[in-house]
Amino acid sequence: MPRILLVEDESIIRSELRRLLAREGHDVAEAQSVREAEEEHDLASFDLVITDVRLPGAPGTDLIGSSAAHGVPVLVMTSYATVRSAVDVMKRGAVDYLSKPFEHDELLALVERILSRPRTAAEAPAAPAARVDGGAFEGLIGRSAAMREVEARLRKVAPTDATVLVLGESGTGKELVAAAIHRMSRRSGRAFVPVNCAAIPEGLIESELFGHERGAFTGATSAHAGLVEAADGGTLFLDEIGELPQSAQARLLRFLQTGEVRHVGSTRARKVSVRLVAATHRDLAAMVQAGTFRSDLYFRLRVIEVRLPPLRERGDDALALASHFITEGSRKAGRPVPALSPDAEKAIMTHSWPGNVRELENAIERALILSDGGTITAELLGLEAEEESRGAAQAQLPSDVSLEEYFRRFVLENQDTMTETELAKRLGISRKTLWERRQRMGLSRSK
């Protein structure tokens, strides 16, 4: 039975959370302060510590990396989650954080994910980002509602052998999703073969995918097994499948229908067992209408669709991703981890990120190269200026105002002059996320 230490000075909250965790089969101990936690409990005997930040005496963050805890993961709860403090908590080594008020299901899901990780991973310094999951979802970072929806769908589809079509703008992380599907599948012990269809010359794509026999074409001096065969027993990931030429589309459709591979120049077919994940930033339905993509192949591919949200619709995930890239880049370069200045945080939150996560990663890499190692400023990020209306909407965000409070102020001050679509756009979130936050904060729109 997992042991959890709950450190919270509000007795009502502490009792409620203890009952909630106990109902899930956890052995829960309590403390009202850091001092009580350290003096009355053997911290190293717990599997997880959940602590509030503001406690009598020392802050709950003092438990992160405590020598008495011997690497026990610490989950931080706070009602004062400013942009900077949330990132700082993760930098100090917290395994994750929750902003009050939170849903009970959100806490339970997070606790389950943390406890399911190998202890060796928990003992390592936590990356300063809120990962969707520490194992199967490696590299997918963020706790926005949009990313939780993606996670839920991946958990359902990954254990099956269903063909998956991943849709999303360039730079949203489609290959990371494909790799996560493979890791969570029963094929995880076999090969994961990624193929960028746009990077292979049109005249070679069929040979590369399906192999060829000696003499099949000029230059074919020996037989060659294709990438589909290389993925036998595992997963084949066809990125940018919208760029596949018509002739290769026909061969791929035949393979999906029969499970057989026939080399170019051969009359014999071979059975293979391959799970296919395809991805594109193109509108395949429009391509079908235009006659540039086969309708029968399109319907074969979209057994399950996974749509990745653009970064501009993921809210606070942008800061979590930025912090992750800063830490990883600094570690590789063997340099101290610099902090983000308030103006850099503001720039990250207000930029529309047309290049999505890839653009953010490149901006952080550029800033790390140009910085002196102390602080990353907005100027070092080198982001293109946004339209004035968008900049004006968030220009007044002080560094010590919580994201929740800023959201409340902005909605109340502008909802009589803006539509829901305009509000969501100015806040850099989706209409669905705007609605969810309204409901949670009791800010229903007046009719």
Side-chain angles (χ1 to χ4, degrees), residues 199-217:
I200 303 175
E202 183 174 341
L204 296 177
I205 186 71
E206 291 182 64
S207 169
E208 285 296 306
L209 286 177
F210 303 103
H212 64 256
E213 293 297 308
R214 178 180 179 182
F217 51 84

mmCIF file of all heavy atoms in Angstrom, residues 199-217:
data_model
loop_
_atom_site.group_PDB
_atom_site.id
_atom_site.type_symbol
_atom_site.label_atom_id
_atom_site.label_comp_id
_atom_site.label_asym_id
_atom_site.label_seq_id
_atom_site.Cartn_x
_atom_site.Cartn_y
_atom_site.Cartn_z
ATOM 1 N N ALA A 199 10.589 13.701 -47.236
ATOM 2 C CA ALA A 199 12.051 13.780 -47.361
ATOM 3 C C ALA A 199 12.618 12.775 -48.355
ATOM 4 O O ALA A 199 13.814 12.813 -48.658
ATOM 5 C CB ALA A 199 12.695 13.567 -45.993
ATOM 6 N N ILE A 200 11.793 11.870 -48.881
ATOM 7 C CA ILE A 200 12.255 10.845 -49.815
ATOM 8 C C ILE A 200 11.832 11.232 -51.225
ATOM 9 O O ILE A 200 10.655 11.539 -51.461
ATOM 10 C CB ILE A 200 11.673 9.467 -49.455
ATOM 11 C CG1 ILE A 200 12.048 9.094 -48.021
ATOM 12 C CG2 ILE A 200 12.183 8.400 -50.418
ATOM 13 C CD1 ILE A 200 11.422 7.801 -47.540
ATOM 14 N N PRO A 201 12.757 11.257 -52.184
ATOM 15 C CA PRO A 201 12.400 11.608 -53.562
ATOM 16 C C PRO A 201 11.261 10.732 -54.081
ATOM 17 O O PRO A 201 11.190 9.536 -53.767
ATOM 18 C CB PRO A 201 13.700 11.357 -54.341
ATOM 19 C CG PRO A 201 14.788 11.486 -53.329
ATOM 20 C CD PRO A 201 14.197 10.980 -52.047
ATOM 21 N N GLU A 202 10.379 11.335 -54.874
ATOM 22 C CA GLU A 202 9.187 10.627 -55.352
ATOM 23 C C GLU A 202 9.534 9.332 -56.063
ATOM 24 O O GLU A 202 8.843 8.327 -55.924
ATOM 25 C CB GLU A 202 8.388 11.540 -56.289
ATOM 26 C CG GLU A 202 7.092 10.922 -56.780
ATOM 27 C CD GLU A 202 6.246 11.884 -57.578
ATOM 28 O OE1 GLU A 202 6.467 13.111 -57.454
ATOM 29 O OE2 GLU A 202 5.363 11.419 -58.333
ATOM 30 N N GLY A 203 10.629 9.320 -56.826
ATOM 31 C CA GLY A 203 10.992 8.131 -57.571
ATOM 32 C C GLY A 203 11.508 6.985 -56.713
ATOM 33 O O GLY A 203 11.624 5.846 -57.201
ATOM 34 N N LEU A 204 11.826 7.262 -55.452
ATOM 35 C CA LEU A 204 12.404 6.242 -54.575
ATOM 36 C C LEU A 204 11.475 5.809 -53.444
ATOM 37 O O LEU A 204 11.790 4.852 -52.735
ATOM 38 C CB LEU A 204 13.727 6.752 -53.967
ATOM 39 C CG LEU A 204 14.868 7.039 -54.935
ATOM 40 C CD1 LEU A 204 16.065 7.601 -54.169
ATOM 41 C CD2 LEU A 204 15.271 5.773 -55.683
ATOM 42 N N ILE A 205 10.358 6.514 -53.266
ATOM 43 C CA ILE A 205 9.532 6.271 -52.093
ATOM 44 C C ILE A 205 8.982 4.847 -52.042
ATOM 45 O O ILE A 205 8.977 4.206 -50.988
ATOM 46 C CB ILE A 205 8.377 7.302 -52.013
ATOM 47 C CG1 ILE A 205 7.605 7.143 -50.701
ATOM 48 C CG2 ILE A 205 7.450 7.185 -53.211
ATOM 49 C CD1 ILE A 205 8.347 7.591 -49.488
ATOM 50 N N GLU A 206 8.547 4.298 -53.190
ATOM 51 C CA GLU A 206 8.004 2.941 -53.174
ATOM 52 C C GLU A 206 9.079 1.925 -52.819
ATOM 53 O O GLU A 206 8.843 0.990 -52.054
ATOM 54 C CB GLU A 206 7.386 2.605 -54.535
ATOM 55 C CG GLU A 206 6.112 3.378 -54.839
ATOM 56 C CD GLU A 206 5.513 2.970 -56.171
ATOM 57 O OE1 GLU A 206 5.104 1.791 -56.283
ATOM 58 O OE2 GLU A 206 5.484 3.810 -57.082
ATOM 59 N N SER A 207 10.279 2.111 -53.365
ATOM 60 C CA SER A 207 11.386 1.196 -53.066
ATOM 61 C C SER A 207 11.771 1.283 -51.594
ATOM 62 O O SER A 207 12.024 0.268 -50.943
ATOM 63 C CB SER A 207 12.587 1.522 -53.948
ATOM 64 O OG SER A 207 13.734 0.825 -53.516
ATOM 65 N N GLU A 208 11.813 2.498 -51.053
ATOM 66 C CA GLU A 208 12.202 2.678 -49.658
ATOM 67 C C GLU A 208 11.183 2.043 -48.717
ATOM 68 O O GLU A 208 11.544 1.421 -47.721
ATOM 69 C CB GLU A 208 12.348 4.170 -49.341
ATOM 70 C CG GLU A 208 13.599 4.812 -49.910
ATOM 71 C CD GLU A 208 14.853 4.220 -49.312
ATOM 72 O OE1 GLU A 208 14.982 4.204 -48.075
ATOM 73 O OE2 GLU A 208 15.701 3.748 -50.087
ATOM 74 N N LEU A 209 9.906 2.182 -49.050
ATOM 75 C CA LEU A 209 8.870 1.645 -48.173
ATOM 76 C C LEU A 209 8.706 0.135 -48.319
ATOM 77 O O LEU A 209 8.602 -0.594 -47.325
ATOM 78 C CB LEU A 209 7.530 2.331 -48.447
ATOM 79 C CG LEU A 209 7.363 3.766 -47.940
ATOM 80 C CD1 LEU A 209 6.013 4.311 -48.363
ATOM 81 C CD2 LEU A 209 7.509 3.832 -46.422
ATOM 82 N N PHE A 210 8.671 -0.341 -49.561
ATOM 83 C CA PHE A 210 8.290 -1.733 -49.805
ATOM 84 C C PHE A 210 9.430 -2.615 -50.302
ATOM 85 O O PHE A 210 9.247 -3.821 -50.464
ATOM 86 C CB PHE A 210 7.124 -1.770 -50.806
ATOM 87 C CG PHE A 210 5.944 -0.972 -50.335
ATOM 88 C CD1 PHE A 210 5.671 0.278 -50.862
ATOM 89 C CD2 PHE A 210 5.122 -1.454 -49.327
ATOM 90 C CE1 PHE A 210 4.596 1.020 -50.416
ATOM 91 C CE2 PHE A 210 4.045 -0.723 -48.868
ATOM 92 C CZ PHE A 210 3.783 0.532 -49.415
ATOM 93 N N GLY A 211 10.627 -2.034 -50.503
ATOM 94 C CA GLY A 211 11.773 -2.830 -50.940
ATOM 95 C C GLY A 211 11.766 -3.064 -52.447
ATOM 96 O O GLY A 211 10.787 -2.767 -53.136
ATOM 97 N N HIS A 212 12.866 -3.595 -52.964
ATOM 98 C CA HIS A 212 12.950 -3.896 -54.394
ATOM 99 C C HIS A 212 13.849 -5.098 -54.625
ATOM 100 O O HIS A 212 14.652 -5.486 -53.764
ATOM 101 C CB HIS A 212 13.465 -2.681 -55.184
ATOM 102 C CG HIS A 212 14.877 -2.286 -54.826
ATOM 103 N ND1 HIS A 212 15.166 -1.194 -54.039
ATOM 104 C CD2 HIS A 212 16.089 -2.845 -55.140
ATOM 105 C CE1 HIS A 212 16.472 -1.082 -53.888
ATOM 106 N NE2 HIS A 212 17.057 -2.079 -54.555
ATOM 107 N N GLU A 213 13.716 -5.680 -55.787
ATOM 108 C CA GLU A 213 14.554 -6.800 -56.210
ATOM 109 C C GLU A 213 15.725 -6.286 -57.047
ATOM 110 O O GLU A 213 15.681 -5.182 -57.603
ATOM 111 C CB GLU A 213 13.724 -7.801 -57.033
ATOM 112 C CG GLU A 213 12.647 -8.519 -56.233
ATOM 113 C CD GLU A 213 13.225 -9.364 -55.128
ATOM 114 O OE1 GLU A 213 14.120 -10.193 -55.401
ATOM 115 O OE2 GLU A 213 12.792 -9.198 -53.959
ATOM 116 N N ARG A 214 16.728 -7.085 -57.138
ATOM 117 C CA ARG A 214 17.874 -6.725 -57.972
ATOM 118 C C ARG A 214 17.412 -6.550 -59.418
ATOM 119 O O ARG A 214 16.679 -7.374 -59.957
ATOM 120 C CB ARG A 214 18.935 -7.821 -57.891
ATOM 121 C CG ARG A 214 20.161 -7.561 -58.759
ATOM 122 C CD ARG A 214 21.152 -8.694 -58.620
ATOM 123 N NE ARG A 214 22.320 -8.478 -59.461
ATOM 124 C CZ ARG A 214 23.332 -9.332 -59.578
ATOM 125 N NH1 ARG A 214 23.314 -10.480 -58.900
ATOM 126 N NH2 ARG A 214 24.345 -9.050 -60.360
ATOM 127 N N GLY A 215 17.829 -5.458 -60.056
ATOM 128 C CA GLY A 215 17.479 -5.188 -61.440
ATOM 129 C C GLY A 215 16.099 -4.608 -61.635
ATOM 130 O O GLY A 215 15.647 -4.440 -62.777
ATOM 131 N N ALA A 216 15.393 -4.275 -60.539
ATOM 132 C CA ALA A 216 14.036 -3.732 -60.665
ATOM 133 C C ALA A 216 14.038 -2.389 -61.381
ATOM 134 O O ALA A 216 13.068 -2.026 -62.040
ATOM 135 C CB ALA A 216 13.386 -3.603 -59.293
ATOM 136 N N PHE A 217 15.138 -1.646 -61.249
ATOM 137 C CA PHE A 217 15.275 -0.363 -61.936
ATOM 138 C C PHE A 217 16.764 -0.054 -62.032
ATOM 139 O O PHE A 217 17.610 -0.733 -61.412
ATOM 140 C CB PHE A 217 14.520 0.756 -61.196
ATOM 141 C CG PHE A 217 14.840 0.835 -59.721
ATOM 142 C CD1 PHE A 217 15.957 1.523 -59.255
ATOM 143 C CD2 PHE A 217 14.024 0.198 -58.789
ATOM 144 C CE1 PHE A 217 16.250 1.580 -57.915
ATOM 145 C CE2 PHE A 217 14.297 0.267 -57.432
ATOM 146 C CZ PHE A 217 15.419 0.954 -56.992
#
